[in-house]
Amino acid sequence: MITNIKLKTMKKLFITFLMGTAIISAQSEKGTKFIGGTFNLSGSTTNQTNNLLGTPYQNSSTGYGISPEIGYFLKKNLAIGASINLYQSKTNNDGNGNSPLDYSTAKYNNIGASIFMKYYHPIYEKLYFLLNPSIGYGHAKNDFTYYNYSNNSLSGNTTKTNSFGVSIIPGISYFASSRLSFQTTFGNLFYNNSRNTNSGDNYDNTSKSDNYGLNLSSATLTFGMSYYFK
C-alpha cells in the first residue's frame, strides 16, 4: 500500500515536471513573441551635524527608471528585441558643514533606445539564467542649482550628454506560466562613448569621453516581467 502511494506521488511529480518543461519550451521556442519591461528604484538619505557649529544638514537622492520592450525568439532560448529606456533622478543637499542655509539641487533626465539579445540558460525547471547584451543610444540632461546664503546668490549650470554604448547585463528569469515570466537583473559590464556640453552663466564647454567598466551599484538592480504570445 505504501509502495503504491509512493509510486503515485512520484508519477504526479514526474508529470508536473514534464508539464513545466513543456511550458518553458513553448515560451522560448522559435517564433514566440513577447512584450514586457523592467523598472528600478533607488534612493538614499544622509543626516549630518557639524559638531563645532551645532548645525544639522541633510543630503538625499532618489531615482527611478523604466524600460518597456518588445522581442522575438529567433530559435529556442535565444531572442532579439528593442526597448525604450527612461531614467530620472533628483539630488538635494540642504546645507553644508559651514553654511547650513546653503543648498543645492541636481535634476537628471535620460531618454534612450536600444536593441538587445537575450539568451536563456536552464538552471532548474522553470528557473533560467539570463544574459542580456545590448547596443543603445541615449540623451541626458542634468540641471544643477546652487544657492549661497552669505552672498544671497543663485547660480547653476546645465550639462547635456549624447551617448552611444554597449553593455552586457546578467540576470535570473522565472517562467511562472505559459504566458508569463518574471526577471531580475543586477550589474552591468559596459563601454560608453559620450559627447558632453556644459554651460553656465559665463561659460559653454564641450568635451568627449570614453568610459568602460563593471557597475555593481544598487541603481543597476531591476525587476521586470514579460508576456508571451504567438
Side-chain angles (χ1 to χ4, degrees), residues 31-216:
T32 300
K33 307 174 186 68
F34 63 90
I35 57 174
T38 62
F39 73 93
N40 69 310
L41 177 68
S42 61
S44 66
T45 301
T46 303
N47 293 292
Q48 303 181 64
T49 301
N50 185 313
N51 294 325
L52 296 178
L53 300 177
T55 54
Y57 55 101
Q58 184 183 84
N59 302 325
S60 64
S61 65
T62 56
Y64 65 90
I66 183 171
S67 298
E69 64 183 25
I70 185 170
Y72 174 85
F73 277 86
L74 295 174
K75 62 179 184 179
K76 183 177 175 60
N77 296 335
L78 183 65
I80 60 171
S83 68
I84 297 174
N85 311 304
L86 306 171
Y87 184 78
Q88 185 177 77
S89 67
K90 183 177 182 180
T91 301
N92 293 314
N93 293 318
D94 298 326
N96 58 49
N98 298 314
S99 302
L101 297 178
D102 290 358
Y103 68 85
S104 66
T105 61
K107 296 181 180 179
Y108 177 82
N109 291 278
N110 180 80
I111 181 170
S114 64
I115 55 175
F116 62 79
M117 181 179 292
K118 289 189 177 185
Y119 171 70
Y120 297 83
H121 181 76
I123 299 176
Y124 178 74
E125 294 186 5
K126 300 180 181 182
L127 194 64
Y128 274 56
F129 171 73
L130 174 64
L131 197 61
N132 186 189
S134 65
I135 301 173
Y137 169 82
H139 174 75
K141 180 181 179 183
N142 186 61
D143 292 308
F144 178 79
T145 303
Y146 177 73
Y147 175 72
N148 188 310
Y149 175 76
S150 60
N151 297 329
N152 191 27
S153 62
L154 186 66
S155 60
N157 62 68
T158 298
T159 302
K160 296 181 180 180
T161 303
N162 294 303
S163 62
F164 169 82
V166 296
S167 66
I168 300 176
I169 300 173
I172 297 293
S173 184
Y174 176 75
F175 289 79
S177 71
S178 62
R179 296 290 186 183
L180 193 65
S181 74
F182 298 93
Q183 68 184 47
T184 181
T185 66
F186 178 73
N188 184 8
L189 181 64
F190 68 93
Y191 165 77
N192 188 64
N193 174 268
S194 61
R195 177 184 174 91
N196 310 290
T197 301
N198 189 3
S199 58
D201 297 333
N202 302 309
Y203 61 90
D204 190 348
N205 302 322
T206 299
S207 63
K208 296 181 180 180
S209 62
D210 290 284
N211 300 289
Y212 57 89
L214 177 63
N215 186 358
L216 296 176

